[in-house]
Amino acid sequence: MMKKAIGAAAALALALTAGAASAVEREGAWTVSPMIGLHWYDNVAVEDDDTVYSLGIGHNFSRNWSVEALLSYSKVDLRGGAGEVDTNIATISGLYHFDKGDALVPYLGGGIGYRNMDPQGGDDDGDSLINLAAGLKYFLTPQVALRLDGRYLLDMGDDNDDDYQLQAGLQLLFGVPKAMAAAPLDSDGDGVTDDKDRCPNTPKGVAVGADGCPLDSDGDGVPDSFDHCPNTPKGAPVDSRGCPLDSDGDGVPDYLDKCPNTPLGTKVDAQGCPVMMAPTRMELKIEFDFDKSDIRPQYHALLGDAAAFMEQHPGSVATIEGHTDSTGPDSYNQKLSERRADSVRDYLVNKKKIDANRLKTVGYGETRPIADNASKDGRQRNRRVIAVIIETK
């Protein structure tokens, strides 16, 4: 008989796995379970096994543990035409549910009970019993489950009969208290719950959007909370602070820089290209005596002005041009013009402390007159030095 019960239980369990809603046993629920099945008797006086009808009433103390009272009724024929027997069984059992949140919930249980057998025309016979239970519940909805229940009943009376029951039916859940919804987790504390948070490890204090990811208003990849340049144009490469890159350090960001490799310190325009400074040309009007390269004292103040300009513009350089009149051989005049230029350079270096590397000298001899060498006054004006100062940075 036990093999038949196990076989029937297995067949129904396979049938139940066709599909259903995921549900679980719920704490605090009351259950009502109408069932029908077979009762196998071990009593030699019973002619045949017969149908059993049951009603279970239970209460879930948790998702795993419940207590259930089960009332069963069956009517069987006695051997030899001795009539019928009404059998009533009442059990109370503790059930443990292996609940993992799936629709299919196996359970085991056990408890005590009482059986009363009332034969026609005879005296009642009642005995205590022990019952062991095993079964499956398959939830179709959170309130309704299919149920398969198997029982082993051990009679504690003189006969010590071993009976078995296998039943199938429904379990209905009632009176489930409204669950106090647990506050959704927000592991990183950004105000967006974990179930909606696409960036679950956001550093504390970082402003985030509805998806839990750090806000990046300008789309430069640096969160607003750390972005020192929050309005960077889209697509502009930025550094770790969210500010546009300026690879050559000229003050013009790379995305605007038309001359990206400008030497450091070079003055540039709005496009990052070097500003071409118009040369600042100073005609020092340093005139020299005939065949001399000594600087007259009256020109020291003018040379001071030139030195002051170069100090105010550290990026400036000067070209010092030496000239002569046409008196004498060309080769001699060339050397004389060079000495006159060198004399001015030496004065700026030694007296005004201008870096010699910023000063270039050139002699033009008699090739660039500014007056007529035929007159005395013209020749005097041609004996001169002119300084051209250009700011390059």
Side-chain angles (χ1 to χ4, degrees):
M1 293 183 185
M2 187 63 178
K3 292 181 179 179
K4 290 168 64 179
I6 294 174
L12 184 54
L14 290 173
L16 292 179
T17 58
S22 178
V24 295
E25 292 284 348
R26 288 173 295 160
E27 181 177 350
W30 289 90
T31 62
V32 175
S33 300
M35 295 184 289
I36 185 172
L38 291 175
H39 187 123
W40 289 272
Y41 287 89
D42 194 32
N43 192 316
V44 294
V46 174
E47 177 73 28
D48 292 311
D49 303 322
D50 210 338
T51 303
V52 61
Y53 305 91
S54 296
L55 181 66
I57 299 176
H59 181 66
N60 293 344
F61 293 103
S62 70
R63 283 179 53 179
N64 299 110
W65 286 101
S66 69
V67 63
E68 182 180 51
L70 186 67
L71 304 176
S72 299
Y73 169 78
S74 63
K75 178 179 287 192
V76 294
D77 296 326
L78 296 176
R79 292 184 185 276
E84 295 178 328
V85 176
D86 293 324
T87 303
N88 296 284
I89 299 175
T91 61
I92 184 165
S93 307
L95 302 179
Y96 180 81
H97 299 84
F98 297 89
D99 186 353
K100 297 182 179 179
D102 299 324
L104 188 63
V105 180
Y107 65 88
L108 294 174
I112 59 175
Y114 184 82
R115 173 167 52 190
N116 180 69
M117 299 187 73
D118 184 12
Q120 291 180 355
D123 295 331
D124 291 359
D125 182 18
D127 289 305
S128 299
L129 54 80
I130 293 175
N131 88 100
L132 301 177
L136 297 169
K137 297 178 182 180
Y138 190 68
F139 284 86
L140 303 175
T141 74
Q143 288 78 33
V144 179
L146 298 177
R147 180 173 178 180
L148 179 68
D149 184 90
R151 300 277 167 154
Y152 167 69
L153 305 172
L154 175 61
D155 192 324
M156 301 302 293
D158 295 336
D159 295 333
N160 293 121
D161 294 332
D162 294 328
D163 290 0
Y164 304 93
Q165 291 179 343
L166 181 63
Q167 303 179 79
L170 299 175
Q171 174 176 281
L172 308 176
L173 280 75
F174 299 96
V176 180
K178 291 184 179 179
M180 295 296 291
L185 290 177
D186 179 14
S187 302
D188 54 8
D190 61 1
V192 178
T193 56
D194 290 355
D195 58 325
K196 299 178 182 177
D197 200 333
R198 294 177 57 195
C199 301
N201 299 313
T202 305
K204 192 170 183 179
V206 174
V208 300
D211 60 356
C213 293
L215 290 176
D216 180 14
S217 301
D218 54 9
D220 60 2
V222 178
D224 290 354
S225 301
F226 303 114
D227 200 333
H228 289 73
C229 301
N231 298 313
T232 304
K234 190 170 183 178
V238 299
D239 58 21
S240 60
R241 299 168 66 248
C243 293
L245 289 176
D246 179 15
S247 302
D248 55 7
D250 61 1
V252 179
D254 289 354
Y255 74 96
L256 295 176
D257 201 332
K258 303 296 185 183
C259 302
N261 299 312
T262 305
L264 187 64
T266 301
K267 182 176 286 189
V268 298
D269 58 21
Q271 294 184 321
C273 293
V275 175
M276 302 304 293
M277 299 294 295
T280 300
R281 185 182 182 90
M282 296 184 67
E283 291 194 17
L284 302 180
K285 296 183 180 180
I286 299 177
E287 296 181 357
F288 292 83
D289 293 333
F290 175 73
D291 198 24
K292 299 290 184 182
S293 60
D294 299 329
I295 299 173
R296 297 176 182 176
Q298 68 194 69
Y299 296 113
H300 290 174
L302 187 60
L303 286 170
D305 293 341
F309 177 86
M310 296 190 73
E311 289 176 352
Q312 292 170 3
H313 300 82
S316 62
V317 296
T319 299
I320 303 171
E321 303 173 357
H323 302 271
T324 69
D325 60 24
S326 60
T327 304
D330 292 348
S331 59
Y332 180 84
N333 288 337
Q334 177 63 35
K335 296 292 185 182
L336 179 59
S337 67
E338 293 173 1
R339 290 198 303 272
R340 286 172 176 169
D342 290 342
S343 179
V344 172
R345 181 198 60 194
D346 293 343
Y347 183 90
L348 292 173
V349 171
N350 297 325
K351 300 293 184 179
K352 299 300 180 180
K353 308 304 179 184
I354 301 299
D355 187 347
N357 293 324
R358 298 171 63 191
L359 304 173
K360 177 184 177 181
T361 61
V362 59
Y364 289 106
E366 61 185 73
T367 62
R368 295 186 178 184
I370 59 173
D372 187 357
N373 280 309
S375 67
K376 180 178 178 182
D377 180 66
R379 289 191 296 273
Q380 178 59 61
R381 292 177 59 194
N382 288 333
R383 297 192 292 267
R384 70 199 189 280
V385 162
I386 297 173
V388 180
I389 301 175
I390 301 175
E391 186 176 9
T392 61
K393 297 182 181 181

